[in-house]
Amino acid sequence: MEKKLMHAIQYIAYGGGSNALKHVEVPVPSPSKDEVLIKLEAASINPFDWKVQKRMLWPILPPKFPYIPCTDIAGEVTEVGKGVKKFKPGDKVVGLVSPFSGGGLAEFAVVKESIAASIPPEISAADCAGLPVAGLTALQALSKSIGIKLDGSGERKNILITAASGGVGHYAVQLAKLGNTHVTATCGARNIEFVKSLGADEVIDYKTPDGAALKSPSGKQYDGVVHCAAECAWSIFEPNLSMNGKVVDITPSSSSMMTFALKKITCSKKQLVPLLLIPKGKDLEYLVDLVKQGKLRTVIDSKYPLTKAEDGWAKSIDGHATGKIIFEF
């Protein structure tokens, strides 16, 4: 029996940016054991997606060409594989497509039941589609790496969030303020009021001398840093850290990995920690519940239909999105 076809976006080689994206018709995938097939209503792009295309994760990703990019999806379950217990056809879910299989930028995609969460009827797919990578990264950095208790208990911590108006950053500010924290944030001048509206206690323009030096306007030393911006020298972080301060680098470079290793070898109390996202369904459920309660919101920079996917891709590469870029189906 001939398989049903769907519209998808793919690229067939490294490089080329948005111009290399191709609109194609490919077979609708089938869910394997413990997987669900989702008819997409929304998807989100992350810098990770175009970094894969730029060969920055070679030789790990992509596993082969042609490749359908994007991992963050939300929509309606149309079919479930063997062993699936949490979901049934008709359920609305948000999930994370494995980057090793790819497939998020298409009309249908499969996700594992274990890294998907139900979307309540009062929340749109677009409001959830940004959560899987950016939201989970912010949550893991704050709660697991830095140790902030998001119920407001625990000792007060001074936190710095760089690039706070971006995808991970805007979630990190909101989540950090659920804990017992003082939040300093950096962003461009045009987004200062926006980042304050997310709850940041003080916001600095990264282009000013104090912003470039990451200095807190109130003289705070940071117990934890969620570093979402481009590479930054350890010598800039170190004088701003408290005695046991920790920098969580969400996009670690080779030099930051060297710093991490050096700090471990020398038993330094101040640490740089590279973050490797470990997505879990229960964490995604927790984030969706915060959205439902009004304690977390996805700020949407712009929306694009699948037919204009290359425009959203180019906007992400440009690097000046405020919040998340969403594709709607």
Side-chain angles (χ1 to χ4, degrees), residues 310-321:
E310 50 270 57
D311 294 344
W313 193 269
K315 179 73 184 280
S316 180
I317 291 173
D318 182 53
H320 295 291

Side-chain angles (χ1 to χ4, degrees), residues 6-181:
M6 65 176 183
H7 181 194
I9 306 297
Q10 67 180 26
Y11 53 87
I12 60 173
Y14 288 116
S18 60
N19 292 330
L21 300 182
K22 307 294 183 187
H23 292 260
V24 295
E25 296 288 315
V26 295
V28 173
S30 298
S32 300
K33 186 176 182 292
D34 299 325
E35 290 181 337
V36 296
L37 177 66
I38 297 173
K39 186 179 191 303
L40 270 70
E41 296 175 8
S44 177
I45 184 172
N46 296 285
F48 169 85
D49 298 310
W50 49 260
K51 287 178 180 180
V52 170
Q53 186 197 30
K54 288 181 75 171
R55 210 171 187 255
M56 293 171 73
L57 282 92
W58 180 88
I60 300 169
L61 290 169
K64 62 180 180 179
F65 295 114
Y67 183 73
I68 300 173
C70 291
T71 57
D72 291 4
I73 66 169
E76 183 175 318
V77 175
T78 60
E79 188 182 343
V80 299
K82 288 182 180 179
V84 171
K85 296 181 174 65
K86 277 188 355 186
F87 306 113
K88 63 185 186 303
D91 288 348
K92 296 294 178 76
V93 301
V94 55
L96 187 74
V97 174
S98 168
F100 293 99
S101 58
L105 212 47
E107 291 179 300
F108 292 85
V110 291
V111 297
K112 286 203 171 293
E113 177 186 32
S114 60
I115 45 176
S118 295
I119 300 176
E122 60 267 40
I123 304 174
S124 72
D127 286 332
C128 287
L131 294 173
V133 168
L136 289 176
T137 296
L139 177 64
Q140 188 175 313
L142 291 163
S143 61
K144 307 290 194 303
S145 300
I146 297 174
I148 296 170
K149 296 178 179 177
L150 301 189
D151 60 1
S153 65
E155 63 183 58
R156 189 162 179 81
K157 290 181 184 288
N158 297 321
I159 303 299
L160 170 68
I161 298 165
T162 63
S165 59
V168 175
H170 93 286
Y171 287 132
V173 172
Q174 296 174 76
L175 291 171
K177 288 309 296 178
L178 296 176
N180 183 13
T181 63

